[in-house]
Amino acid sequence: MVDDLAARFEHTVASEARIEPRDWMPDGYRRTLIRQIAQHAHSEIIGMQPEGNWISRAPSLRRKAILLAKVQDEAGHGLYLYAATETLGADRGELTEKLIDGKQKYSSIFNYPTLTFADMGVIGWLVDGAAICNQVPLCRTSYGPYARAMIRICKEESFHQRQGYELLMTMMRGTQAQRDMVQDAVDRWWWPSLMMFGPPDEESSNTEQSMAWRIKRNTNDELRQKYVDMSMPQAAKLGVTFPDPELKWNPERGHHDFGQPDWEEFWQVVGGHGPCNSQRVAHRRKAHEDGAWVREAAAAHAAKARRSQEGVA
Amino acid sequence: MSTSWPLWEVFVRGKRGLNHVHVGSLHAPDAEMAVRNARDVYTRRNEGVSIWVVPAEAITASSPDEKDPFFEPSGDKVYRHPTFYAIPEDVPHL
Ligand SMILES: [Fe+2]
Ligand SMILES: [Fe+2]
């Protein structure tokens, strides 16, 4: 019987059809998906903090409105993804507990500080850009609710990247000090952005099985290469450089050659020792705990309204 | 610690003339809050003109294991599809 179900699952995946919540699936597939989607959801939610940091100090009402809308989108992305994990039997409350207890991870990029307003532009351009590179192939991931969440997210991400690039173009037309600020932000965010694709393929333990299940559609190194190739002309047009002396076009490969990020630093940050790890998690914990009375009051209000409705009927 | 609000399934009518389509789910304490939250989560860019929320537990679904027999009645009624009928090509507007 299980063989039958397994065969049907394999066939569905192999034929590029989607697995849906009520279908039979291997335990490992379910576990891998819950871990990956939860980690992704946590990243969206924690990712609100570095930018939220600048909402009250945005230089104009226009920039403030844009930044607010972007941060609100990231909250929405987190919710789409938590909803997808729940179709697999996960509990959103539990996932939040795991995040604030440090038992589940989020993207290491959000453990870096946002020092100037130029960081708002560079995050939109490079960080959301890397996220898009990662996420576009996930619109074809084998689990239906995850793929559908990714389609919604990708539609919204394009606004995120474009507002960032536009912000940087504006600053580059400004004073020398503003141009320097942009270059400084690019220098700080370039390597962490490359790390967003995860460790090199030979060190990535989960890739092979995830590719076989068509959860993942490209390897880390493939996506990283694509990202570098896409970013180069954008940097040239903007008038900034990336802090990598090895970065150059290789006509034989038809791709850019580039240096490796400091993987030692990557593992340090993943392990909880980045510049902002404890601050990010503490902030999320505080927001969650401070909101407890609201959740309880709303539930009490709903219960009371139900009771009085039943009383009347 | 995790006082869990009930789960609601959200359906959005994209524009007049279309059906409500399932777009996802969310937690909310009651129907009114579910509609408000659905507006903020699923229609930030004019994706809809009308929202339905349904308690997830109120939905009865066919099970995938029954799939074949359950959907069979439509499988053997090909005459329900317009392509079942051969019409000469020179008959317009049909
Ligand atoms: Fe996002
Ligand atoms: Fe984004």
Side-chain angles (χ1 to χ4, degrees):
Chain A
M1 185 60 187
V2 170
D3 281 356
D4 242 30
L5 294 169
R8 194 189 297 180
F9 170 84
E10 298 288 343
H11 178 257
T12 305
V13 169
S15 61
E16 286 288 321
R18 299 287 173 259
I19 300 297
E20 294 295 342
R22 289 162 61 90
D23 290 335
W24 182 91
M25 61 189 84
D27 286 343
Y29 179 81
R30 187 184 299 275
R31 266 198 314 275
T32 303
L33 274 171
I34 291 178
R35 195 192 57 232
Q36 177 172 333
I37 304 173
Q39 187 167 324
H40 193 159
H42 296 331
S43 302
E44 302 282 355
I45 297 297
I46 295 285
M48 296 162 75
Q49 292 184 40
E51 289 173 293
N53 180 35
W54 282 93
I55 291 174
S56 63
R57 291 175 287 160
S60 68
L61 191 55
R62 178 174 182 271
R63 291 291 168 201
K64 187 176 194 159
I66 292 170
L67 198 52
L68 260 175
K70 179 178 189 290
V71 172
Q72 190 192 12
D73 274 352
E74 306 300 5
H77 297 176
L79 292 179
Y80 307 153
L81 290 162
Y82 283 126
T85 64
E86 294 197 313
T87 66
L88 291 157
D91 177 86
R92 182 178 147 198
E94 267 174 45
L95 296 177
T96 299
E97 295 288 331
K98 282 186 182 155
L99 169 66
I100 61 183
D101 287 342
K103 290 182 190 144
Q104 276 184 342
K105 307 220 174 295
Y106 53 89
S107 177
S108 62
I109 190 87
F110 302 116
N111 290 315
Y112 291 87
T114 43
L115 303 181
T116 71
F117 197 73
D119 290 30
M120 298 304 96
V122 172
I123 286 181
W125 173 38
L126 291 180
V127 175
D128 288 85
I132 292 171
C133 244
N134 265 327
Q135 291 170 355
V136 165
L138 289 176
C139 296
R140 294 182 298 119
T141 193
S142 59
Y143 187 58
Y146 190 24
R148 292 192 284 276
M150 291 319 310
I151 290 169
R152 298 184 72 87
I153 289 175
C154 284
K155 274 191 198 149
E156 300 182 352
E157 286 296 345
S158 128
F159 143 61
H160 297 180
Q161 195 184 23
R162 291 173 67 102
Q163 65 81 31
Y165 196 80
E166 187 229 39
L167 190 166
L168 297 175
M169 288 197 316
T170 308
M171 286 187 79
M172 292 302 281
R173 285 195 300 268
T175 64
Q176 188 57 42
Q178 285 175 306
R179 279 189 288 277
D180 293 345
M181 210 186 273
V182 173
Q183 182 62 57
D184 168 67
V186 171
D187 290 345
R188 282 181 288 109
W189 289 95
W190 174 247
W191 292 114
S193 300
L194 288 190
M195 294 177 194
M196 285 176 72
F197 299 93
D201 291 347
E202 65 267 19
E203 286 169 46
S204 173
S205 46
N206 305 320
T207 295
E208 207 176 320
Q209 179 63 75
S210 287
M211 299 270 291
W213 277 331
R214 304 200 188 189
I215 294 174
K216 225 173 144 155
R217 307 304 313 240
N218 301 90
T219 72
N220 298 351
D221 286 331
E222 281 167 18
L223 292 171
R224 197 170 2 252
Q225 177 72 63
K226 192 165 170 226
Y227 175 69
V228 172
D229 290 339
M230 279 170 33
S231 301
M232 283 298 280
Q234 296 168 350
K237 196 90 196 139
L238 196 58
V240 296
T241 56
F242 295 128
D244 178 0
E246 293 174 52
L247 190 48
K248 61 169 187 301
W249 177 250
N250 180 332
E252 273 149 53
R253 290 202 310 123
H255 291 290
H256 292 86
D257 291 336
F258 57 100
Q260 285 295 307
D262 180 351
W263 292 114
E264 189 52 41
E265 175 185 315
F266 172 76
W267 291 115
Q268 282 291 317
V269 179
V270 169
H273 307 294
C276 300
N277 295 57
S278 46
Q279 179 191 337
R280 299 290 186 240
V281 174
H283 186 86
R284 180 70 192 91
R285 172 183 288 284
K286 185 171 185 312
H288 183 65
E289 289 173 357
D290 288 354
W293 73 269
V294 179
R295 293 190 292 277
E296 283 159 24
H301 174 77
K304 191 176 162 197
R306 245 190 334 269
R307 271 196 310 277
S308 68
Q309 211 172 29
E310 279 158 14
V312 168
Chain B
M1 177 74 221
S2 64
T3 43
S4 200
W5 289 340
L7 187 67
W8 303 79
E9 299 296 336
V10 181
F11 299 78
V12 170
R13 185 199 292 289
K15 57 180 184 190
R16 287 174 182 281
L18 297 181
N19 288 321
H20 284 77
V21 173
H22 182 244
V23 293
S25 55
L26 50 74
H27 288 274
D30 56 32
E32 192 191 333
M33 284 304 292
V35 170
R36 280 170 178 271
N37 291 351
R39 181 200 59 192
D40 292 347
V41 176
Y42 291 106
T43 62
R44 284 195 301 285
R45 290 179 175 77
N46 306 318
E47 287 95 338
V49 294
S50 159
I51 298 173
W52 288 349
V53 294
V54 181
E57 58 178 26
I59 292 180
T60 306
S62 68
S63 117
D65 295 335
E66 302 163 357
K67 185 176 162 183
D68 295 338
F70 192 75
F71 290 99
E72 220 160 86
S74 61
D76 63 5
K77 293 185 179 65
V78 284
Y79 48 82
R80 285 179 170 166
H81 297 277
T83 46
F84 180 73
Y85 304 93
I87 305 286
E89 280 190 10
D90 51 4
V91 181
H93 308 306
L94 204 71

